[in-house]
Amino acid sequence: MKKLTAVYSSLTLLGCIIYYHSTAQQAPQLGRNTIKEVVAAMTLEEKTKLVVGKGFKMPGTGPVIGTTEDKVPGAAGTTFAIPRLGIPSIVVADGPAGVRISPIRNHDSSITYYATAWPVGTLLASTWDTSLVKKVGVAFGQEVHEYGVDILLGPGINIHRNPLGGRNFEYYSEDPVVAGYMTAAIVNGIESNGVGTSIKHFAANNQETNRNTVNTIVSERALREIYLRGFEIAVKKAQPWTVMSSYNKINGDYTSEEFDLLTTILRKEWGFKGFVMSDWFGGRDPIAQMKAGNDLLMPGTSQQSNRIKSANEHDSLSIKVLDENVERILSIIVQSPAFKGYAFSNKPDLKHDAAISREAASEGMVLLRNEGNALPLKTDKKVAVFGNTSYDLIAGGTGSGDVNKAYVVSLIKGLSNAGYATDNDLQNAYTTYIADVKSKRPKPRGFFDAPKPVPEMFFDAKALAQKADNADVAIITIGRNAGEGADRKVENDFNLSDTEKVLIKNISIAFHAKNKKVIVVLNIGGVIEITSWQTDVDAVLLAWQPGLEGGNAIADLLSGKTNPSGKLATTFPVEYKDVPSAKNFPGKELPTTEKQSSPFGGKPSEVVYEDGIYVGYRYYNTFNVKPAYEFGYGLSYTSFTYGDLKLSAKTFNGSITATITVTNTGQVAGKEAVQLYISAPSKELDKPAEELKAFGKTKLLQPNESEMLSFTLNIKDLASFNTKRSAWIADAGAYTLKIGASSSDIKKTMNFDLAKEVVAEKVTAVLKPVIQITELKK
Ligand code: BGC
């Protein structure tokens, strides 16, 4: 017995020694231990490193480069690794239109790292097809994964408040429902690969002028209904891994320092579970950012870590707050490919993705005008192709929304791929001219120095008459580019330049004299003026900035291989002065002595959103201002009829379902984007004439084929934000449900009642403007 006891106690002792050794040597490990245990084992220094990125270096020209050379050169940033706790570094890379990384490494061009340039966000939204956008996301996410990136810095989902917004091309729409559903679709697609996204820029970041400093003064109602609603839909439907706060202030505070935005609204009200990162060098005060719930400061500086550490040591930042920031970051890192040790191939299937990029591009281009069935154009025609961007297509905008792609299919190449004969002399003249102008220009001075457009060439009447003799039809491309760091201008950008107008006019005179048609292709990322020149030409195809397969996709539509089915997700006004925010965009600069700490500069300024909720069609429809082309508009080579609209009930009870049958009544197969608008009764609040609440797109319908679409609305879809009561309230009364082919082409309407007022959601009264805003009212 004694012997046994002795053996037993020596075993116990051995166990204790082994246990002691393992705990001493092996600190808690991410993934094996709980996140709380890992956080409890972290030193203050480690915590302050994890909440601040590893830094950034900005070369004179070329891409924005984070300190990611060891893993993914050219990516925008990384986080610190803490190997003793099993915490890897993760890589984040731009952007909304494709993975933005260095295509060549160590000067070795035998292996390349190009990515697909997808069509820009505005084009994707114009597809009105969330399944297609999800399909783009699945392919896009595969590139993120195979290039060793953990989180994609996109999509961009801000509202097109004003057509001059320099980054509008990155964003989807003037309407938050379109923006929200498109974001959810692409996020779900990308994240299905086991990588993350960062939906950006949260929030009310609708201009580039003084973007790092501007104070956006906006009412709670406009914020909730217009500028936050898309983010709300996306968070609830897709739960993205991360959200990127924006550069601007909202009602006095930087968004990255605004607790009520990042915690009260985003987390408590909407249930966001991931982490928030700042935009690059966004905000000023790292302590306020931590407290607000802006968990990760990007790209990160050692000063930020030091300030956070010292704030904790001096009791101005509690460890509880910092621990929460760290926990949220770790809860995402633990899901990342880096944590899982994914052996990325650096070989995404670019061929497969190019085909999807082309498909998406052709589905989101919008046929604006087609007089006398100028289009489609048989591929046995000879085409005279004018306009610089026919030869030098703009696949996407500039800045972090740009992508390093292996090639761009120009329009001239796309036309020739489709079988069209083109004019070689014109091609030679254009390519020589463009190369010459570009070679004489100084090199871009850096990231924000977007290339200036090449002015259009002038052709005299004799030269044009000869071109008209030798071709069956003329195509003229008008191109526009913009991007991060600057807004667009009215003259020579929103409005066509005199040279462009003369080019269109003279070509039209020459070709029409010979009874030949003229087609304009718009290779643009944002809205332009069309009314003054469009009657000169027969057809206008809005090709947007269509990604690397753009020329092929345009040819698909011109030839009728694909029937146009894109519709506008943003209004084209007649003139810039018709835009509801024209009077207060981009705001005014303020007198100050404040020192700028952002390397991107910007003067203290403010912009007051006096247009309130009346953004885009909400304004044009309510105030009867006729646009050039309305929200939701787009032509097809076929026609559709809308059958009877049926509602599931006459009185709303929890939800209501509308069904409608759409039939292709034309000669060729096509798809139709169908929109559901609501006109709500107006008691206490101003209500827009129509508001989009749902949308869908038919499958490819053959002639005479029909499809039934159904849409279900819930109580929040009927509600407006009542600031006095801090609640989304659906007023009692008669609602009109409208099914439209566009926001003004309403095909069927039906009424239903809401018997009693319903408080759809009570929220916290936060983000109040500090000054009285004189908002636009009916
Ligand atoms: C842009 C972001 C981008 C970040 C990283 C910033 O200048 O505003 O959209 O993700 O840079 O490149």
Side-chain angles (χ1 to χ4, degrees):
M1 187 66 192
K2 242 186 178 175
K3 213 171 165 189
L4 261 182
T5 316
V7 170
Y8 180 76
S9 33
S10 31
L11 278 178
T12 316
L13 184 65
L14 189 66
C16 286
I17 292 167
I18 292 170
Y19 175 77
Y20 172 78
H21 269 279
S22 64
T23 46
Q25 282 167 1
Q26 178 82 70
Q29 295 295 296
L30 185 65
R32 210 161 337 125
N33 295 80
T34 64
I35 287 177
K36 287 222 179 299
E37 284 164 349
V38 174
V39 175
M42 287 171 87
T43 63
L44 177 60
E45 176 113 18
E46 285 169 338
K47 291 176 187 173
T48 58
K49 281 204 145 166
L50 193 74
V51 295
V52 175
K54 262 175 89 178
F56 173 86
K57 102 181 165 206
M58 183 128 157
T61 56
V64 175
I65 305 201
T67 44
T68 58
E69 280 75 5
D70 48 341
K71 197 171 172 194
V72 187
T78 41
T79 59
F80 276 97
I82 308 174
R84 75 173 190 96
L85 301 172
I87 302 171
S89 160
I90 59 168
V91 176
V92 303
D94 287 302
V99 183
R100 181 175 161 83
I101 53 175
S102 298
I104 312 275
R105 299 179 185 173
N106 303 322
H107 309 287
D108 173 9
S109 47
S110 64
I111 307 169
T112 56
Y113 305 81
Y114 287 109
T116 301
W118 302 99
V120 296
T122 312
L123 183 151
L124 292 179
S126 315
T127 66
W128 295 77
D129 186 344
T130 50
S131 320
L132 178 64
V133 172
K134 181 167 180 200
K135 183 168 151 185
V136 167
V138 172
F140 193 161
Q142 179 245 147
E143 293 188 24
V144 176
H145 202 206
E146 291 310 325
Y147 275 138
V149 172
D150 297 284
I151 297 176
L152 178 83
L153 303 174
I157 91 162
N158 295 98
I159 291 294
H160 295 164
R161 171 173 178 252
N162 185 289
L164 303 185
R167 297 184 82 171
N168 280 1
F169 72 96
E170 294 185 52
Y171 306 144
Y172 294 113
S173 174
E174 68 190 23
D175 179 84
V177 169
V178 176
Y181 283 97
M182 289 298 159
T183 302
I186 205 155
V187 166
N188 282 329
I190 294 170
E191 294 198 350
S192 69
N193 291 276
V195 294
T197 57
S198 195
I199 66 172
K200 67 189 190 185
H201 307 89
F202 191 55
N205 181 181
N206 310 102
Q207 66 183 61
E208 289 298 290
T209 308
N210 294 316
R211 67 170 180 164
N212 296 84
T213 42
V214 66
N215 182 18
T216 300
I217 299 176
V218 52
S219 72
E220 288 160 83
R221 181 175 178 202
L223 255 183
R224 295 274 184 173
E225 290 189 14
I226 307 291
Y227 299 102
L228 297 182
R229 183 76 180 126
F231 285 97
E232 177 180 3
I233 293 170
V235 165
K236 289 182 176 169
K237 299 236 170 270
Q239 196 57 254
W241 284 17
T242 78
V243 168
M244 188 190 291
S245 55
S246 54
Y247 283 131
N248 54 289
K249 298 174 183 173
I250 295 181
N251 295 330
D253 291 312
Y254 283 108
T255 60
S256 59
E257 300 174 10
E258 182 49 76
F259 179 88
D260 284 328
L261 181 70
L262 304 185
T263 299
T264 311
I265 294 182
L266 179 64
R267 294 193 163 98
K268 295 196 179 138
E269 291 181 5
W270 301 348
F272 174 63
K273 305 242 172 343
F275 72 78
V276 175
M277 71 175 87
S278 68
D279 198 347
W280 269 228
F281 301 107
R284 296 289 166 82
D285 178 356
I287 318 305
Q289 290 173 311
M290 292 295 108
K291 288 182 180 165
N294 193 117
D295 310 299
L296 178 64
L297 305 184
M298 289 304 282
T301 63
S302 49
Q303 292 91 310
Q304 287 170 321
S305 291
N306 294 341
R307 281 181 66 187
I308 294 170
K309 189 158 173 271
S310 137
N312 178 259
E313 287 161 352
H314 295 91
D315 290 338
S316 51
L317 176 69
S318 78
I319 200 70
K320 185 170 170 288
V321 167
L322 189 57
D323 283 355
E324 278 171 7
N325 300 127
V326 170
E327 277 170 30
R328 288 193 287 252
I329 296 173
L330 289 180
S331 73
I332 294 300
I333 291 184
V334 80
Q335 302 175 49
S336 67
F339 177 76
K340 293 180 181 161
Y342 182 66
F344 53 96
S345 65
N346 274 328
K347 287 193 182 63
D349 191 348
L350 296 178
K351 220 167 155 203
H352 165 267
D353 294 355
I356 298 176
S357 184
R358 175 174 178 170
E359 179 191 351
S362 65
E363 298 272 326
M365 294 181 185
V366 186
L367 182 62
L368 295 177
R369 175 179 174 86
N370 194 15
E371 291 303 297
N373 293 331
L375 292 173
L377 190 69
K378 293 216 171 65
T379 52
D380 59 5
K381 300 282 185 221
K382 178 153 190 213
V383 195
V385 184
F386 298 90
N388 296 322
T389 53
S390 295
Y391 299 88
D392 191 15
L393 191 91
I394 301 169
T398 65
S400 63
D402 194 7
V403 185
N404 296 310
K405 56 253 169 213
Y407 64 88
V408 175
V409 178
S410 63
L411 176 57
I412 196 77
K413 183 87 176 83
L415 291 170
S416 112
N417 289 345
Y420 291 103
T422 54
D423 182 325
N424 287 337
D425 293 342
L426 263 181
Q427 178 161 1
N428 289 337
Y430 268 105
T431 41
T432 314
Y433 166 72
I434 295 167
D436 185 50
V437 174
K438 285 191 175 174
S439 71
K440 289 186 184 135
R441 290 194 158 159
K443 278 197 154 195
R445 273 169 297 126
F447 181 65
F448 295 111
D449 191 10
K452 306 263 168 313
V454 174
E456 290 298 342
M457 282 200 280
F458 176 79
F459 297 86
D460 63 25
K462 199 166 144 228
L464 289 176
Q466 192 227 332
K467 294 294 167 206
D469 278 335
N470 293 337
D472 299 309
V473 58
I475 295 181
I476 312 166
T477 302
I478 298 293
R480 289 288 181 274
N481 211 350
E484 199 174 341
D487 289 311
R488 297 172 55 212
K489 303 267 173 302
V490 176
E491 288 316 319
N492 299 324
D493 191 345
F494 178 82
N495 290 338
L496 262 52
S497 68
D498 290 343
T499 325
E500 288 169 328
K501 284 193 179 172
V502 166
L503 183 76
I504 293 175
K505 180 138 239 116
N506 290 350
I507 292 172
S508 301
I509 292 170
F511 277 72
H512 288 160
K514 310 255 156 73
N515 227 355
K516 293 176 179 175
K517 306 233 189 246
V518 179
I519 295 153
V520 169
V521 172
L522 298 176
N523 178 202
I524 59 182
V527 169
I528 62 168
E529 185 276 325
I530 293 193
T531 310
S532 71
W533 55 267
Q534 65 165 341
T535 45
D536 289 346
V537 304
D538 304 282
V540 180
L541 176 68
L542 170 56
W544 294 119
Q545 294 171 338
L548 83 182
E549 284 285 324
N552 285 331
I554 298 171
D556 288 342
L557 293 183
L558 295 176
S559 66
K561 184 173 166 199
T562 305
N563 188 351
S565 63
K567 292 187 178 182
L568 297 178
T570 204
T571 307
F572 275 60
V574 172
E575 291 179 83
Y576 180 70
K577 70 172 180 43
D578 291 346
V579 173
S581 57
K583 283 191 283 306
N584 27 49
F585 180 92
K588 62 166 197 257
E589 282 169 13
L590 303 168
T592 182
T593 52
E594 201 185 330
K595 201 168 156 282
Q596 301 307 309
S597 65
S598 160
F600 298 126
K603 305 213 174 78
S605 61
E606 67 179 30
V607 55
V608 185
Y609 283 15
E610 290 183 326
D611 40 329
I613 56 163
Y614 291 112
V615 175
Y617 70 90
R618 283 171 168 77
Y619 169 77
Y620 297 103
N621 286 12
T622 310
F623 293 85
N624 294 316
V625 178
K626 207 175 152 19
Y629 290 108
E630 76 272 11
F631 177 83
Y633 171 91
L635 298 175
S636 164
Y637 298 148
T638 190
S639 51
F640 298 94
T641 55
Y642 288 62
D644 287 343
L645 168 62
K646 296 201 177 76
L647 293 189
S648 56
K650 285 202 86 39
T651 303
F652 187 91
N653 185 13
S655 71
I656 195 157
T657 299
T659 47
I660 186 111
T661 299
V662 178
T663 305
N664 181 350
T665 47
Q667 305 300 313
V668 290
K671 297 180 184 174
E672 171 77 336
V674 178
Q675 301 147 43
L676 186 157
Y677 297 88
I678 286 280
S679 303
S682 169
K683 293 268 146 60
E684 200 183 319
L685 303 181
D686 236 34
K687 303 262 170 104
E690 278 91 25
E691 288 186 283
L692 184 84
K693 296 298 174 182
F695 60 90
K697 196 169 189 178
T698 66
K699 60 181 187 193
L700 185 71
L701 295 176
Q702 297 302 322
N704 293 319
E705 198 184 356
S706 303
E707 184 178 344
M708 192 177 86
L709 298 180
S710 76
F711 307 96
T712 298
L713 302 183
N714 62 36
I715 192 68
K716 186 138 174 197
D717 296 318
L718 309 189
S720 300
F721 189 75
N722 185 314
T723 307
K724 270 197 226 142
R725 294 164 68 185
S726 290
W728 288 86
I729 291 171
D731 285 328
Y735 286 74
T736 309
L737 188 149
K738 305 179 175 178
I739 298 288
S742 81
S743 57
S744 29
D745 185 8
I746 301 299
K747 301 289 189 187
K748 301 281 163 173
T749 65
M750 271 186 95
N751 285 353
F752 65 87
D753 288 318
L754 183 66
K756 272 205 239 119
E757 174 197 285
V758 179
V759 177
E761 197 183 345
K762 183 91 184 101
V763 299
T764 329
V766 289
L767 302 179
K768 282 182 187 303
V770 278
I771 61 162
Q772 182 75 31
I773 307 173
T774 321
E775 270 190 333
L776 190 60
K777 287 222 159 39
K778 267 199 278 199

